Amino acid sequence: TVILYMGGKKPDTLCTVPNVLKMSASAANQAMTNAGLIIKVAGTTSTTSGNVYAISQSVAAGSKVKAGTVVTVRFGDNSVRD
């Protein structure tokens, strides 16, 4: 993965990682962006059921990380049961 920062240098400020579990992909993306972080999406992001939500994130909610840190969020279809 290559991340290209446009403009000034990458900020050194610390950001708090939001809890995006059970959020939709668009809501999780908005939350990460608002926190100054970059989301990397993994797993299922669309199905006919419309029940795709975040099931895990690579950095724990509440952690302090540098602005621009990439957080991987895995999505799954909550309508699928074993």
Side-chain angles (χ1 to χ4, degrees), residues 57-78:
Q57 60 188 77
S58 64
V59 181
S63 298
K64 298 281 188 188
V65 297
K66 286 186 179 180
T69 295
V70 176
V71 179
T72 300
V73 179
R74 179 165 298 281
F75 292 87
D77 185 343
N78 288 349

Side-chain angles (χ1 to χ4, degrees), residues 11-74:
D12 289 333
T13 56
L14 290 180
C15 301
T16 302
V17 177
N19 181 3
V20 298
L21 297 181
K22 299 184 182 177
M23 287 187 184
S24 67
S26 61
N29 182 49
Q30 189 65 50
M32 289 292 179
T33 300
N34 289 348
L37 305 171
I38 299 169
I39 188 171
K40 178 180 178 185
V41 175
T44 303
T45 55
S46 66
T47 66
T48 56
S49 71
N51 290 321
V52 176
Y53 298 101
I55 57 174
S56 68
Q57 60 188 77
S58 64
V59 181
S63 298
K64 298 281 188 188
V65 297
K66 286 186 179 180
T69 295
V70 176
V71 179
T72 300
V73 179
R74 179 165 298 281

